[in-house]
Amino acid sequence: MTSTAAADRSVRVDHLTKIFGSGTTAVRAVDDLSFEVGPGRVTGFLGPNGAGKTTTLRSLLGLVRPTSGGATIGGRRYDELERPAAVVGAALEAASFHPGRSARDHLRVYAPQVGVPDRRADDVLELVGLAPAADRRVGGFSLGMRQRLALATTLLADPPVLLLDEPANGLDPEGIAWLRGFLRSLAAQGRTVLVSSHVLPEVEQTVDDVVIVAHGRLVHASPLADLHRLARRRVRVASPDHAGLDALVHRAGWATAGPDAGAPPGDLVVLDQDAATVGAAAFEAGLVLHHLSGQDGSLEDVFLALTRPAPDGTVA
Amino acid sequence: MRAALLVETRKITSTRMWWLLLVVMAGYMALLAAGLAWALTQADAALGATDGPAEPLTPDAVVRSVYTIAVSLGYVFPLLIGGLSYPSEVRHQTITPTYLFEPRRSVVLAAKLTTGGAVGVLFGLVGTLTCVLAGGGVLAALGEPTMLGEPGTWRTIALSALALTVWALVGVALGSVLTNQVAVVVVVLAFTQLVEPVIRLVLGLTSWGADLAAYLPGAAGEAISGGSLYSASGVGGDLLEWWQGLLVLIGYVAVLATVGRLTTLRRDVT
Ligand SMILES: Nc1ncnc2c1ncn2[C@@H]1O[C@H](COP(=O)(O)OP(=O)(O)O)[C@@H](O)[C@H]1O
Ligand SMILES: [Mg+2]
């Protein structure tokens, strides 16, 4: 890897707005989005489908022209970089391969533009575990193999910054585990690694930081550890006396969530309390309980709560 | 730019499209040239025509039509191989890595035009020499003059290859405007096989129309090589000088490429 100052590896999105189309069909894909991604860490760029992740990455890469605001890598726009693909390795969600080209040829096609010799194609295929398929046409590749080839393409010039759009999509659990180790090692070498995903659990064990977007807007950015603190405790509680339980919840002023999937109807989930509190209150009210269990809130719930539209249509 | 040229060259050579089209073109041209050589020299005798044509074609006119049949009927091949340069990248979404590795879209366009020209030379040479081989072979077998000893014949052959080369450039430029693969194929086939021939026929009926028809791309291409199936068969009016035809066809390239650069190439890639 070229020894670049840390500042040259940070990615910055600055009040980025992108509106597709115009008039009544206009789509505000990215809405005044700002965040920063530092080197030496894996950053998860998270949000549900349609949140604007791909559009943000494409704006960063000069493929989409922002409506306003912008994005830079090491302080410069992508198209201002000299040999940009040697600075930023990017793999975008869509599989961008000619089906009639072999994996090795796909890589060799672009090699001259980042100034690497042709044999580098074999090196990166080896890195991503595709060496045995080097001469096969990409048209016959599985989604997982395409993801690996896309990753190999980003690594051609050994760039200090990696932007990967949904790289775990289509990988089997073994592949995801492999990707996790691979991304961690890339970050450990001091690279800036940004990975997008629409499912948090997929990258939960991979990322150091999270940037969460919904409806084109930033809803949360922090180290992953801080996200845990937002997790709400839950108590699952069930009583044969539905009305009595409802009355108790109402009296106590507890927040509730819908029952867990698969739970019998009538089960309730009380938020932000522990099981002892709920149990004591039920005892006092003379309520028979058939089930009482407390759980720490999951990150997935936090993620869903953060990205769920509020009743008034805005994002929580 | 050097890297961009190498990249574009590798894009072409790493898939099978180029040689498939080249083989089909060679086969088709061989058939047409052989058939035309026979028809222009033997048809009357074979059909036992008594009234015959007003005046038989001179050997020079015969070889000019036979050796340049690729420019009259085969230019669709270089036009297609050039025309798919952009659309196939859009179709397979390789336009994304292409712009990631070279964000300067004018450089990509210039590289595509340049390599398109190189491929055009290949198609021009193979297409024309196939006509010379097959058509000349038939003429020789029939005992007709092949005119291959004449410098003028070789000039015609070279100009035919040149015309086909420019057609590949027209293709690249067209593909920069119309980036849908199916649309390009449909437009190319419809225009070359139907629209232009009909327009030339219709315009050829009037004197002012005939002048205008000479500026149609197909007519301009024929003007470069100086041999025209249409002219030989007496329809479609006169052609421009070879250099005028060259300028007109390059004009189409310039206009289409400029329009492509200012419209399609500025669009978001999503
Ligand atoms: N080319 C486009 N034209 C119109 N709308 C688009 C285009 N590309 C994306 N969008 C819209 O922008 C929004 C964000 O899309 P995208 O960035 O792909 O989200 P994500 O990658 O987070 O799933 C979506 O509503 C999508 O439909
Ligand atoms: Mg996406």
Side-chain angles (χ1 to χ4, degrees):
Chain A
M1 183 166 65
T2 47
S3 56
T4 334
D8 289 347
R9 292 177 201 171
S10 64
V11 171
R12 203 185 149 105
V13 173
D14 194 16
H15 295 287
L16 180 71
T17 297
K18 176 63 187 182
I19 300 172
F20 286 111
S22 57
T24 51
T25 58
V27 177
R28 194 175 276 267
V30 181
D31 190 1
D32 195 30
L33 181 64
S34 301
F35 63 89
E36 209 162 328
V37 183
R41 303 170 73 81
V42 179
T43 302
F45 186 30
L46 308 169
N49 284 322
K53 304 179 297 293
T54 301
T55 305
T56 302
L57 294 176
R58 286 189 178 267
S59 304
L60 247 169
L61 296 163
L63 296 167
V64 158
R65 189 194 309 251
T67 306
S68 64
T72 52
I73 299 114
R76 294 163 77 189
R77 270 201 342 251
Y78 187 81
D79 59 356
E80 295 170 342
L81 295 169
E82 203 170 312
R83 277 204 183 157
V87 179
V88 183
L92 289 157
E93 185 183 33
S96 309
F97 309 109
H98 191 295
R101 221 168 258 151
S102 72
R104 181 187 283 119
D105 278 345
H106 166 77
L107 295 164
R108 284 169 41 142
V109 159
Y110 299 104
Q113 256 155 358
V114 283
V116 299
D118 288 355
R119 71 186 134 72
R120 177 72 186 156
D122 291 315
D123 296 347
V124 291
L125 285 172
E126 187 79 45
L127 268 178
V128 301
L130 270 186
D135 291 315
R136 281 171 50 189
R137 284 211 212 99
V138 180
F141 276 23
S142 69
L143 187 51
M145 292 168 82
R146 285 164 196 264
Q147 289 284 25
R148 285 172 191 255
L149 182 56
L151 195 55
T153 313
T154 69
L155 296 169
L156 256 185
D158 209 4
V161 178
L162 287 157
L163 305 179
L164 310 173
D165 196 12
E166 308 263 1
N169 227 356
L171 292 185
D172 52 21
E174 195 188 331
I176 291 183
W178 168 83
L179 181 68
R180 177 177 306 146
F182 195 70
L183 296 180
R184 296 245 39 103
S185 73
L186 290 170
Q189 294 160 1
R191 289 175 223 259
T192 303
V193 183
L194 182 68
V195 255
S196 83
S197 175
H198 63 281
V199 269
L200 176 64
E202 201 174 69
V203 292
E204 196 176 318
Q205 290 167 282
T206 312
V207 301
D208 303 297
D209 297 327
V210 289
V211 171
I212 303 178
V213 289
H215 304 273
R217 270 172 275 171
L218 184 74
V219 293
H220 182 87
S222 76
L224 182 69
D226 291 0
L227 200 60
H228 281 288
R229 280 199 234 119
L230 292 178
R232 302 175 85 177
R233 281 174 303 167
R234 304 156 61 89
V235 178
R236 194 177 133 207
V237 55
S239 166
D241 179 1
H242 294 326
L245 182 57
D246 284 344
L248 173 65
V249 167
H250 188 73
R251 252 192 338 270
W254 293 328
T256 56
D260 296 324
D267 273 28
L268 271 181
V269 172
V270 176
L271 295 172
D272 308 322
Q273 306 295 324
D274 55 26
T277 313
V278 175
F283 181 76
E284 264 171 45
L287 200 63
V288 177
L289 293 187
H290 283 176
H291 184 100
L292 177 70
S293 63
Q295 312 146 7
D296 284 335
S298 74
L299 279 186
E300 198 177 359
D301 291 328
V302 178
F303 176 63
L304 290 175
L306 281 171
T307 56
R308 187 185 299 133
D312 62 358
T314 60
V315 175
Chain B
M1 187 67 197
R2 221 182 63 84
L5 287 176
L6 193 52
V7 166
E8 289 304 323
T9 308
R10 288 180 171 192
K11 279 180 196 165
I12 297 166
T13 55
S14 60
T15 60
R16 294 175 293 184
M17 181 64 111
W18 70 275
W19 64 259
L20 280 175
L21 271 180
L22 194 61
V23 166
V24 173
M25 180 189 192
Y28 184 42
M29 290 309 109
L31 272 178
L32 284 179
L36 190 69
W38 183 83
L40 289 182
T41 55
Q42 308 295 308
D44 293 334
L47 296 174
T50 45
D51 43 353
E55 44 186 305
L57 288 170
T58 63
D60 181 52
V62 168
V63 297
R64 190 138 19 114
S65 289
V66 170
Y67 296 164
T68 66
I69 186 82
V71 179
S72 295
L73 295 176
Y75 65 90
V76 65
F77 293 96
L79 185 56
L80 270 182
I81 190 78
L84 291 177
S85 178
Y86 260 104
S88 101
E89 294 228 48
V90 171
R91 163 82 179 76
H92 301 298
Q93 295 172 356
T94 51
I95 195 70
T96 289
T98 290
Y99 286 159
L100 287 180
F101 281 84
E102 179 51 87
R104 294 168 299 174
R105 299 186 184 182
S106 297
V107 171
V108 174
L109 178 59
K112 281 189 182 298
L113 282 168
T114 311
T115 46
V119 172
V121 171
L122 179 69
F123 274 64
L125 287 175
V126 169
T128 305
L129 291 178
T130 311
C131 294
V132 174
L133 270 176
V138 168
L139 290 176
L142 293 171
E144 300 283 340
T146 61
M147 308 289 284
L148 286 175
E150 304 294 321
T153 305
W154 285 100
R155 182 171 171 277
T156 300
I157 289 168
L159 288 173
S160 165
L162 175 65
L164 292 168
T165 301
V166 184
W167 271 115
L169 294 178
V170 175
V172 175
L174 175 69
S176 77
V177 177
L178 211 61
T179 51
N180 183 299
Q181 204 165 257
V182 176
V184 165
V185 173
V186 168
V187 164
V188 162
L189 291 180
F191 191 84
T192 61
Q193 308 303 307
L194 190 71
V195 178
E196 170 153 0
V198 168
I199 294 180
R200 277 174 83 176
L201 265 176
V202 172
L203 286 180
L205 298 177
T206 65
S207 62
W208 60 268
D211 292 344
L212 207 62
Y215 290 89
L216 288 169
E222 286 188 338
I224 298 175
S225 62
S228 165
L229 198 64
Y230 297 90
S231 304
S233 54
V235 292
D238 288 337
L239 295 171
L240 299 171
E241 289 295 314
W242 76 269
W243 58 270
Q244 291 172 321
L246 183 63
L247 287 180
V248 168
L249 210 52
I250 287 176
Y252 280 104
V253 175
V255 169
L256 285 170
T258 305
V259 170
R261 180 65 191 90
L262 295 179
T263 58
T264 318
L265 266 69
R266 288 176 67 155
R267 250 174 243 156
D268 288 339
V269 178
T270 60

